[in-house]
Amino acid sequence: MRKASGFVALLPLAGLVCLKGQNPPDYARDIQPIFEKNCYSCHSEKLQSGGLRLDRRESALAKIAPGKPANSELYRRVAGIGDAKRMPLGGKLDDSQIALIRSWIEAAKPPKHWAFVAPVRPAVPSVRNASWVRNPIDAFVLAKLESEGLQPSPEADRVTLLRRVSLDLTGLPPTPAEVDAFVQDKSPNAYEKQVDRLLASPHYGEKWARHWLDGSRYADSDGYEKDKPRFVWFYRDWVINSFNRNLPYNEFVIDQIAGDLLPNATQDQKVATGFLRNSMINEEGGIEPEQFRMEAMFDRMDAIGKGILGVTIQCAQCHNHKYDPLTQEEYYRMFAFLNNSNEANVAVYTPAQQMKIAEIQRRTREIEAGLQHRSSDWQDRMAQWEDSVAHNQPDWVVVRPDVDDISTGGQRYIPLEDGSLLAQGYAPTKHAVKLTVKTPMKSVSAFRLELLTDPNLPLGGPGRSIKGTGALSEFTVEAAPASSPEKSTKVTIARATADINLPETPLEAMFFDKSNKKRVTGPIEYAIDGKDETAWGIDAGPALRNQPRKAVFNAADPIQNDVGTILTFYLRQNAGGWNSDDNQNNNLGRFRLSITDAKDAVADPLPVAVRAILAIPRAQRTPLQEQTVFSYWRSTQPEWKEENDAIAALWREHPESSSQLVLDELAKSRATHQLIRGDFLNPGKEVTPGVPAFLNPLPAGAPANRLTFANWLVSRDSPTTARAFVNRMWLEYFGIGIVETAEDFGTQSAAPSHPELLDWLAVEFMDHNWDVKAMQRLIATSATYRESSKITPELEAKDPYNRLLARGPRFRVDAEIVRDIALEASGLLDPEVGGPSVHPPAPAFLFLPPTSYGPKVWNNSQGPEKYRRALYTFRFRSVPYPMLQVFDSPNGDSSCVRRSRSNTPLQALTTLNEPLFLDAARALALKTLDEGGPTDRQRVTFAVRRVLSRAPSEDETRLLLGLLEKEQQKFSAQGSDPAALAPAVLANDTPAQSAAWTAVARVLLNLDETITKE
């Protein structure tokens, strides 16, 4: 037998038996007691010297080399191997304990991080004080408190509790009437009725949408240098409505990732994909569009990681994740699911507008049905017409010209497979692009310009204006023999035809160029008249503007060159405005050039869709295709002029759309490559769609598209999705999540304060159909949530951050609610839900250089719009709204699921002096004088209750009455100017009274308690 050597030779028999036993040591049974007795004073939850924590198996395993005791510093220190100090300090483990630790390390397997294991419902713990427990949340919290020798705080008083839950569920304080009703309600479920009332409020959706919008990077501008306005409030309203109608969270996520891919996708489901399109857009001059498409893709991945998975994945765009088991290849495999979409911008309509459109369509069908009914031979006549136009077009040869980059004004023209050019990147307001091509054709007599729609253009194009329109100021051509390029001559255009020729119309105000010249759009002749002030326009109104268009330009004499011809086209586009930073371009978005040698060619009057249907044999057409052909053909029949005019009048009533950035799946898949160091110019190997191995697998046989990915994100087997969302909910109620790092559940995340509670909540959430309101009710009605927030010296010393939840939450509310409280308390708040973003008062210099890169439009909202909830404030990314920025609102550059909460003097100055707060103080003063009662004492009580929900104490009343008297004396003195502070005065009051009460109102609105959730 070989002689044992080293440390093992010294082990007693008990240690050898343990090493050779069939069952390896168990951490909880064998190892944890050793650590608890000898190591916890320095290496447990309260103190983690050297970053070592031994009171949890996962954290202990993270500090060893599983299977390799000799490589594990923990073992080497307790065994006294090496020069480092032996542990524990001031003592020594006995040989059997050291042997157990060695055996445990030898048998250990690398642990799987707790957050990467799907949650399983834990048993609800038993507690000694069972009478305190209202639902299972309380049992988990109380079990932890009892283990720490603590007891929960008493329940908060009713006024405090109603204000707390009102702010948490709706973001608005309760009215005095609501407080009185609750205080007087003696029923056993009085509080639960209040929770249900608040959950049913339309303002609930506003409050909880705002948290989601932080994570989804919502803003009203593009970001980067230009930071142009974008109009995407339909997505914001979709989020509000989704919370209000309690859309199950799994459907909520699926809609936002792949709503457009659902069967018979609705407008709302398409709008929901705006979640992924909230990324910034760069339109600086000369940029490479693909580079910033990649930047947007990285941002989308980050938003999914932080906002849905609760995992930081952005590191892996350049390299394997340093801490979590995510490889760069796995990152790009997830990336591939998202990398197959157009960057679409679609027209969207409100419910009222959709009803109007449906009525227009119904009445159109009714008129057309009447024509068909009265004209029994319509099908024969239409067939004869079809035969006459089916082959009446000349042969056109598509040319693929080279773009002279100097001529583009910084705009990029991207060649597409069909020979067309797509304008992207910077959009100059005036330029003349030069396009050169060599053709072998010996004779050229006409040129065709097709304006084509494209999902990547505003409202689908065919132009780049915010309406998807464009205008052509001048079309010119030069020609030279292919053998003598220097002999270039200008081609005389004898005539031009187009499929649309609108009457002369002045350019819209948004295209004002400061020249004060008369600038118009009109028929195609305006594109060959040699004038910059005229242009061929295609804006035929909201029903007809976003359609393909075509024009044909005929040379006075055919261009004849036996060796071929070099053609140079100039497309002058000068119908834009003066400011390229404010969506004032009026450029062509996508176009294609063709040539023919046919004589007398004209623009095809048939719409592209109709021409495509005519290519299908009649017997193979669908009823819808047949009706589409009829709708065009009947417009050409003179005997139906009355009916055609009636239909045209109907379509002139078509409402104007808004716009929404969405995803739209490509018809042809786009290859995805692993980018070396995240560089779009350095693609590595091609990857296929897939998911990380450390998370739940994809379902077998599922198609590799975004819908599969969306379903995977909310799979019942997902380890992080439900945990991440319920943790974010907990964060909003208690000011800190069960996992403090709400955006990161990875191996570097903070340890959960109540891991079993987190898993119970996640499973409860999924088992109840991902019901968000049910979770809200569960948390809001728990005894834990109802605790008083008053802190004792004992609790402050033992748990300063309230991680044990021995008291209720108390912290400053978020930026938007700070302002909403002031508006609601003063009676100014406009309660309208949804709609376009508004522009409350802001300093004009913010929107001018050098504060802003370029001048921005900020027309202060008037009337009720001025006092909308802060959620609706228009948000420029580069010029954040000052009041919101001061109170830590993110600007939307990147996903934010956990706001910081600062406390600075600027905040006090804001609530004291900012224009809307001053308006609120004046309104509160007038309301107090008008409704507060006949005495100043009653009025003080009225004003305090409006602001703080509670009545003032006697000391507070005395203080405020003293302030009121002092201010009245000041404003009554000769030479004072009370109107400067309070310009409005009620009929029975003096200017001094109004100003004095305004001063009192400013004090109340500036209290810490006013903007604190107690």
Side-chain angles (χ1 to χ4, degrees):
M1 179 178 177
R2 182 175 297 176
K3 184 178 179 181
S5 62
F7 177 74
V8 177
L10 302 176
L11 290 178
L13 182 60
L16 290 172
V17 170
C18 179
L19 287 172
K20 296 180 180 179
Q22 295 298 313
N23 296 318
D26 177 74
Y27 174 80
R29 183 190 67 232
D30 303 314
I31 305 302
Q32 192 170 24
I34 299 173
F35 291 157
E36 185 175 8
K37 182 178 180 180
N38 299 280
C39 310
Y40 274 18
S41 61
C42 297
H43 304 290
S44 63
E45 181 179 14
K46 295 179 181 177
L47 180 61
Q48 298 165 28
S49 296
L52 178 60
R53 181 175 178 178
L54 298 176
D55 60 326
R56 295 184 60 213
R57 178 178 179 274
E58 292 80 4
S59 55
L61 284 170
K63 296 296 183 178
I64 67 170
K68 300 176 182 179
N71 294 342
S72 301
E73 185 66 14
L74 171 64
Y75 171 72
R76 292 174 63 82
R77 296 292 287 272
V78 300
I81 300 173
D83 298 330
K85 288 183 180 180
R86 187 165 186 163
M87 294 293 173
L89 291 174
K92 176 184 175 183
L93 301 184
D94 63 41
D95 292 343
S96 63
Q97 291 173 323
I98 295 171
L100 275 170
I101 292 173
R102 177 186 176 94
S103 180
W104 172 65
I105 294 173
E106 286 179 335
K109 295 180 180 179
K112 189 166 185 178
H113 181 56
W114 66 268
F116 301 153
V117 179
V120 176
R121 183 186 292 271
V124 177
S126 299
V127 293
R128 293 191 292 274
N129 186 14
S131 62
W132 183 77
V133 174
R134 291 182 179 272
N135 65 39
I137 289 174
D138 304 322
F140 288 101
V141 171
L142 186 56
K144 186 72 174 282
L145 288 174
E146 290 179 344
S147 73
E148 295 285 337
L150 296 172
Q151 289 297 319
S153 296
E155 184 170 307
D157 66 84
R158 281 202 168 191
V159 177
T160 299
L161 192 56
L162 184 61
R163 190 172 197 269
R164 177 190 297 174
V165 75
S166 296
L167 291 174
D168 274 337
L169 290 181
T170 67
L172 297 172
T175 65
E178 290 167 345
V179 171
D180 291 341
F182 177 45
V183 170
Q184 295 164 14
D185 187 349
K186 304 304 180 184
S187 60
N189 65 335
Y191 175 70
E192 287 77 4
K193 287 190 290 186
Q194 293 296 320
V195 171
D196 290 340
R197 174 182 65 81
L198 293 166
L199 286 171
S201 166
H203 301 306
Y204 159 78
E206 293 177 316
K207 164 64 163 63
W208 284 86
R210 188 185 54 71
H211 303 307
W212 186 261
L213 294 172
D214 280 359
S216 58
R217 306 98 64 224
Y218 178 83
D220 296 291
S221 68
D222 288 345
Y224 292 113
E225 175 196 67
K226 301 295 180 189
D227 199 28
K228 292 160 61 175
R230 61 170 61 163
F231 305 97
V232 292
W233 54 270
F234 264 73
Y235 171 75
R236 182 243 292 142
D237 284 6
W238 177 85
V239 176
I240 294 171
N241 294 332
S242 295
F243 276 104
N244 275 335
R245 62 191 177 96
N246 201 26
L247 183 68
Y249 181 67
N250 58 337
E251 296 180 29
F252 181 70
V253 170
I254 290 170
D255 284 356
Q256 292 180 87
I257 303 300
D260 59 309
L261 298 183
L262 292 168
N264 302 312
T266 65
Q267 175 180 284
D268 278 355
Q269 288 169 329
K270 295 174 183 177
V271 164
T273 64
F275 170 78
L276 293 172
R277 290 298 319 283
N278 283 330
S279 307
M280 296 194 293
I281 296 174
N282 192 352
E283 291 190 353
E284 296 175 34
I287 64 142
E288 172 52 62
E290 181 63 10
Q291 176 186 358
F292 289 95
R293 190 183 75 83
M294 287 293 100
E295 293 296 332
M297 290 291 297
F298 294 146
D299 172 70
R300 292 164 197 170
M301 292 287 288
D302 180 48
I304 290 172
K306 290 177 181 174
I308 297 175
L309 288 173
V311 180
T312 58
I313 62 176
Q314 65 269 35
C315 303
Q317 73 188 48
C318 297
H319 51 73
N320 292 344
H321 201 293
K322 286 188 175 182
Y323 303 107
D324 294 334
L326 175 67
T327 67
Q328 189 187 24
E329 180 177 345
E330 288 173 329
Y331 174 90
Y332 281 100
R333 294 194 71 193
M334 284 196 292
F335 185 103
F337 281 114
L338 309 181
N339 194 32
N340 197 43
S341 302
N342 290 301
E343 308 284 296
N345 180 329
V346 299
V348 286
Y349 301 92
T350 65
Q353 289 176 321
Q354 291 181 60
M355 291 178 64
K356 176 68 174 177
I357 294 169
E359 176 64 12
I360 292 171
Q361 293 170 336
R362 184 193 66 78
R363 292 174 64 187
T364 298
R365 287 194 299 269
E366 191 176 78
I367 294 172
E368 290 184 338
L371 289 174
Q372 292 172 342
H373 178 73
R374 294 193 300 272
S375 305
S376 57
D377 63 342
W378 70 268
Q379 288 175 311
D380 293 336
R381 291 167 54 198
M382 191 170 80
Q384 293 174 3
W385 168 82
E386 277 189 44
D387 292 340
S388 70
V389 300
H391 305 289
N392 67 346
Q393 289 299 298
D395 292 329
W396 290 97
V397 177
V398 173
V399 295
R400 298 172 183 267
D402 294 325
V403 179
D404 177 15
D405 290 337
I406 301 299
S407 70
T408 65
Q411 183 167 258
R412 297 299 298 269
Y413 286 91
I414 300 171
L416 303 183
E417 289 185 3
D418 65 351
S420 63
L421 293 167
L422 176 65
Q424 294 283 272
Y426 175 63
T429 57
K430 296 185 179 184
H431 75 292
V433 63
K434 177 181 178 182
L435 308 156
T436 304
V437 66
K438 179 179 177 180
T439 174
M441 288 179 60
K442 297 180 179 180
S443 177
V444 177
S445 59
F447 316 97
R448 182 178 66 179
L449 173 66
E450 296 173 273
L451 307 185
L452 305 174
T453 54
D454 191 279
N456 298 286
L457 294 171
L459 306 186
R464 289 197 76 186
S465 81
I466 58 173
K467 292 183 176 181
T469 56
L472 179 63
S473 302
E474 202 69 20
F475 180 91
T476 56
V477 186
E478 294 175 355
S483 58
S484 303
E486 71 282 0
K487 296 181 179 179
S488 181
T489 57
K490 184 176 180 179
V491 176
T492 300
I493 303 297
R495 69 165 184 158
T497 56
D499 64 347
I500 185 168
N501 287 285
L502 299 171
E504 181 177 298
T505 305
L507 279 171
E508 293 184 67
M510 66 177 173
F511 301 126
F512 176 63
D513 69 349
K514 296 187 176 182
S515 70
N516 294 318
K517 295 179 180 179
K518 180 184 178 182
R519 301 164 72 229
V520 298
T521 58
I524 188 62
E525 286 79 11
Y526 283 8
I528 57 172
D529 63 0
K531 300 177 182 178
D532 269 355
E533 293 75 33
T534 63
W536 175 44
I538 59 172
D539 187 353
L544 302 172
R545 66 166 61 107
N546 303 118
Q547 297 184 16
R549 296 298 178 187
K550 41 199 171 307
V552 169
F553 303 88
N554 301 90
D557 299 299
I559 302 165
Q560 306 281 358
N561 285 303
D562 290 341
V563 294
T565 301
I566 297 174
L567 296 171
T568 302
F569 300 90
Y570 296 89
L571 275 60
R572 187 172 299 279
Q573 300 158 68
N574 281 357
W578 68 273
N579 184 5
S580 65
D581 300 329
D582 189 34
N583 293 311
Q584 293 184 11
N585 90 85
N586 202 7
N587 298 340
L588 309 182
R590 180 185 171 196
F591 58 84
R592 181 169 56 197
L593 291 164
S594 307
I595 56 178
T596 185
D597 58 2
K599 295 181 179 180
D600 302 320
V602 296
D604 186 3
L606 271 65
V608 171
V610 172
R611 178 66 68 184
I613 293 171
L614 296 189
I616 302 171
R618 292 190 186 102
Q620 297 177 20
R621 296 176 194 166
T622 66
L624 178 59
Q625 289 171 333
E626 196 71 9
Q627 189 63 34
T628 299
V629 174
F630 176 82
S631 293
Y632 173 75
W633 171 71
R634 56 96 183 144
S635 70
T636 66
Q637 304 305 297
E639 67 269 30
W640 290 344
K641 182 180 185 302
E642 182 179 346
E643 289 81 0
N644 288 330
D645 288 347
I647 291 173
L650 280 177
W651 284 92
R652 283 194 292 272
E653 298 176 10
H654 194 286
E656 286 280 358
S657 71
S658 186
S659 62
Q660 178 59 53
L661 303 179
V662 299
L663 288 185
D664 174 67
E665 202 73 347
L666 290 168
K668 183 179 179 182
S669 295
R670 177 189 281 135
T672 296
H673 295 266
Q674 186 173 329
L675 302 182
I676 308 303
R677 302 184 71 179
D679 183 358
F680 82 106
L681 293 175
N682 194 8
K685 68 176 182 179
E686 186 172 339
V687 296
T688 57
V691 296
F694 72 92
L695 296 176
N696 50 304
L698 286 169
N705 60 23
R706 270 187 293 116
L707 185 55
T708 293
F709 182 59
N711 282 306
W712 172 81
L713 286 170
V714 291
S715 166
R716 184 63 178 74
D717 298 326
S718 171
T720 62
T721 300
R723 281 180 175 134
F725 187 71
V726 297
N727 188 67
R728 286 176 68 181
M729 293 176 69
W730 194 270
L731 163 67
E732 298 307 328
Y733 281 100
F734 293 96
I736 188 169
I738 296 174
V739 175
E740 181 179 359
T741 50
E743 71 284 355
D744 181 13
F745 275 54
T747 59
Q748 296 299 297
S749 66
S753 60
H754 298 75
E756 294 81 9
L757 172 58
L758 179 62
D759 282 2
W760 187 90
L761 288 170
V763 175
E764 179 78 0
F765 186 39
M766 292 187 287
D767 284 353
H768 285 79
N769 194 34
W770 305 80
D771 188 326
V772 177
K773 284 190 176 182
M775 293 305 297
Q776 305 274 26
R777 195 177 195 280
L778 188 70
I779 295 172
T781 58
S782 68
T784 302
Y785 177 73
R786 300 192 204 189
E787 291 179 273
S788 168
S789 62
K790 294 178 181 177
I791 188 168
T792 65
E794 178 192 13
L795 283 178
E796 186 174 21
K798 191 160 188 175
D799 187 20
Y801 299 108
N802 199 26
R803 301 298 281 134
L804 299 175
L805 300 168
R807 62 184 187 275
R810 185 189 190 279
F811 51 88
R812 195 253 297 153
V813 297
D814 287 338
E816 293 83 353
I817 301 178
V818 170
R819 193 176 79 176
D820 292 349
I821 287 173
L823 293 176
E824 173 66 16
S826 66
L828 287 177
L829 184 72
D830 179 0
E832 182 182 355
V833 176
S837 297
V838 297
H839 301 77
F845 77 87
L846 287 176
F847 310 105
L848 298 171
T851 309
S852 171
Y853 165 77
K856 290 179 169 31
V857 176
W858 188 279
N859 296 320
N860 287 346
S861 296
Q862 304 297 321
E865 279 194 350
K866 182 180 179 181
Y867 304 117
R868 297 290 305 281
R869 292 195 71 170
L871 172 71
Y872 302 111
T873 298
F874 193 97
R875 300 194 180 205
F876 278 112
R877 284 182 160 105
S878 65
V879 191
Y881 192 71
M883 177 267 149
L884 298 179
Q885 186 181 34
V886 164
F887 283 96
D888 309 309
S889 175
N891 67 354
D893 282 1
S894 59
S895 179
C896 173
V897 301
R898 181 171 54 126
R899 289 189 180 188
S900 61
R901 187 173 284 112
S902 65
N903 186 4
T904 73
L906 278 176
Q907 294 169 351
L909 291 171
T910 297
T911 54
L912 193 62
N913 299 310
E914 200 262 352
L916 278 185
F917 282 89
L918 191 56
D919 283 356
R922 289 165 174 160
L924 178 59
L926 293 176
K927 196 173 188 69
T928 300
L929 286 166
D930 187 41
E931 303 174 19
T935 69
D936 285 342
R937 177 174 285 270
Q938 289 174 319
R939 289 168 176 171
V940 164
T941 299
F942 175 88
V944 171
R945 292 193 70 201
R946 291 286 306 179
V947 177
L948 303 180
S949 301
R950 63 172 178 83
S953 68
E954 184 58 35
D955 285 346
E956 290 169 336
T957 300
R958 187 167 54 252
L959 236 146
L960 290 170
L961 287 172
L963 172 66
L964 177 66
E965 183 179 359
K966 179 181 175 182
E967 293 297 315
Q968 282 181 327
Q969 291 174 356
K970 183 180 77 173
F971 285 114
S972 298
Q974 187 173 2
S976 65
D977 185 13
L981 179 62
V985 181
L986 296 177
N988 297 323
D989 300 312
T990 66
Q993 277 182 301
S994 185
W997 275 105
T998 299
V1000 171
R1002 292 178 80 192
V1003 169
L1004 292 176
L1005 294 175
N1006 204 43
L1007 293 174
D1008 175 71
E1009 186 179 347
T1010 303
I1011 61 173
T1012 298
K1013 183 182 77 172
E1014 295 279 356

